[in-house]
Amino acid sequence: MSASSSASSSAPAAGSGAPLLQMLLGASVISSSAVFVRWVEIGPGASAFWRMGLAAIILLLLLGQPWRRERLRLWRPQPRVLGLVMLSAVFMAFDLWMWHRSIVYVGVGLSTLLANFQVFVLAGAGALFLGERAGWKLWVGLSLGLVGLALLLAPGWEHMDARFRLGVFFGLAAALAYGGFLLAFRAAQARRGDTPNEALQWWLCLGCVLVLGLTVPLGGESMWPQSAHDWLILAAYAAIAQVLGWLVIGRAMPLLPAGIVGLCLLLQPLLAYVWDVLIFHKRLGGLELLGIGLSLAGIFLGLARGDQPLFARKPR
């Protein structure tokens, strides 16, 4: 996809208002990701493994059998493209490994907000290595984000236990890893040729399964869910967050202006806090609400800066 594939060229097929509704639906759907991680009763690395493993199976069922002779060529990327996808899978696997731990340690809302700071990681890498213009929106957005984060974390930081502090570190480290994933996966998308984007997502899932399958046992976690309840939660997690969310948003993004996409994507961290309050009884004070608002405003400015290809930035 490219910036030229905008709403003007594709809107007739999408129907009136359909892309915006799809975007809102997708952003709302993926906001539930952290909730599933809290619900399931296996380790955070193992839940990441099954998210990607079950998603790979679901993608095969939804998108047809890639091993059929007439489709095999399209589902077999060029070696360079496949290498980039595998590199992005390494970043994605470590992103999930750290983000899932952050969810367990600091909660659904804060962990999701911290992980969304990948916007600034991506912008910084673009400015330093890809010659992209940063612009005032990035610097103002980064400043707002840091002030908001300080309001969320600084009061009472000295009273936080080591587990909470480690969770904050894991959340920010997940943002760094996710930025690396986006850079590598966007490069693969730009070179994919006739290979469907869904096929790249399938290879991405497979690569993550390989990496997590090797690393998770090293942390002493059990890989296998112990109950039907856990299998049900993991299947829902894979189907809703990894497959449905990505497919819906991926199709709607090219049909909407960058600013609208940025606003819609803010639903993810915002609703994550809503689920944290409603489901896990998280209590938020006035200072925390102000910090959340400033952080979300900063993330939005980072998303909507300049003429960057916002539609290529995938959600969690």
Side-chain angles (χ1 to χ4, degrees):
M1 293 181 287
S2 65
S4 60
S5 57
S6 60
S8 61
S9 60
S10 305
S16 176
L20 178 58
L21 292 177
Q22 290 175 3
M23 193 70 201
L24 291 172
L25 172 63
S28 300
V29 162
I30 63 172
S31 72
S32 65
S33 297
V35 174
F36 289 115
V37 178
R38 284 288 303 273
W39 272 343
V40 74
E41 296 180 4
I42 62 173
S47 62
F49 172 86
W50 288 110
R51 164 179 169 165
M52 304 308 285
L54 294 174
I57 297 173
I58 295 170
L59 278 170
L60 287 182
L61 296 176
L62 287 180
L63 304 174
Q65 297 78 28
W67 53 82
R68 291 173 59 182
R69 180 174 300 177
E70 64 271 21
R71 303 197 66 194
L72 184 60
R73 181 183 63 82
L74 294 179
W75 274 73
R76 189 179 292 166
Q78 295 296 321
R80 185 180 181 185
V81 175
L82 184 58
L84 286 169
V85 174
M86 291 298 105
L87 176 61
S88 69
V90 173
F91 281 114
M92 183 69 166
F94 283 104
D95 160 62
L96 290 175
W97 190 93
M98 291 181 287
W99 183 48
H100 281 200
R101 279 164 172 75
S102 181
I103 293 168
V104 174
Y105 294 169
V106 304
V108 168
L110 180 57
S111 62
T112 305
L113 184 68
L114 291 170
N116 272 272
F117 271 63
Q118 57 83 15
V119 169
F120 305 116
V121 174
L122 192 64
L128 290 174
F129 305 112
L130 303 178
E132 295 180 356
R133 295 178 58 187
W136 68 268
K137 289 182 179 180
L138 173 63
W139 299 116
V140 174
L142 180 58
S143 300
L144 287 175
L146 292 176
V147 171
L149 197 58
L151 291 176
L152 281 168
L153 299 178
W157 176 260
E158 66 276 7
H159 302 300
M160 300 298 181
D161 58 23
R163 179 183 171 94
F164 183 90
R165 296 183 184 188
L166 187 60
V168 172
F169 167 78
F170 277 137
L172 293 174
L176 184 62
Y178 196 67
F181 154 72
L182 286 172
L183 290 171
F185 197 71
R186 283 170 58 182
Q189 287 178 314
R191 296 167 175 82
R192 65 186 172 91
D194 294 333
T195 304
N197 188 53
E198 292 82 359
L200 296 189
Q201 293 186 25
W202 183 80
W203 284 105
L204 171 69
C205 291
L206 187 62
C208 286
V209 166
L210 294 175
V211 175
L212 290 167
L214 293 173
T215 57
V216 169
L218 297 178
E221 293 184 37
S222 173
M223 292 290 293
W224 292 96
Q226 299 300 310
S227 67
H229 171 269
D230 283 347
W231 279 114
L232 180 62
I233 295 297
L234 289 169
Y237 183 27
I240 293 173
Q242 185 63 35
V243 177
L244 177 62
W246 278 51
L247 291 181
V248 171
I249 290 179
R251 291 173 182 174
M253 272 184 172
L255 307 177
L256 295 169
I260 298 298
V261 172
L263 281 173
C264 291
L265 288 180
L266 286 186
L267 276 177
Q268 184 196 7
L270 179 60
L271 287 178
Y273 267 105
V274 172
W275 309 142
D276 212 356
V277 171
L278 295 180
I279 299 174
F280 303 107
H281 309 294
K282 172 75 173 178
R283 293 186 177 182
L284 298 173
L287 201 59
E288 288 177 297
L289 290 172
L290 178 60
I292 293 169
L294 290 176
S295 296
L296 291 175
I299 291 170
F300 170 70
L301 287 177
L303 282 168
R305 73 189 193 279
D307 296 320
Q308 302 304 322
L310 181 59
F311 57 82
R313 298 175 201 155
K314 290 192 164 41
R316 308 192 66 81

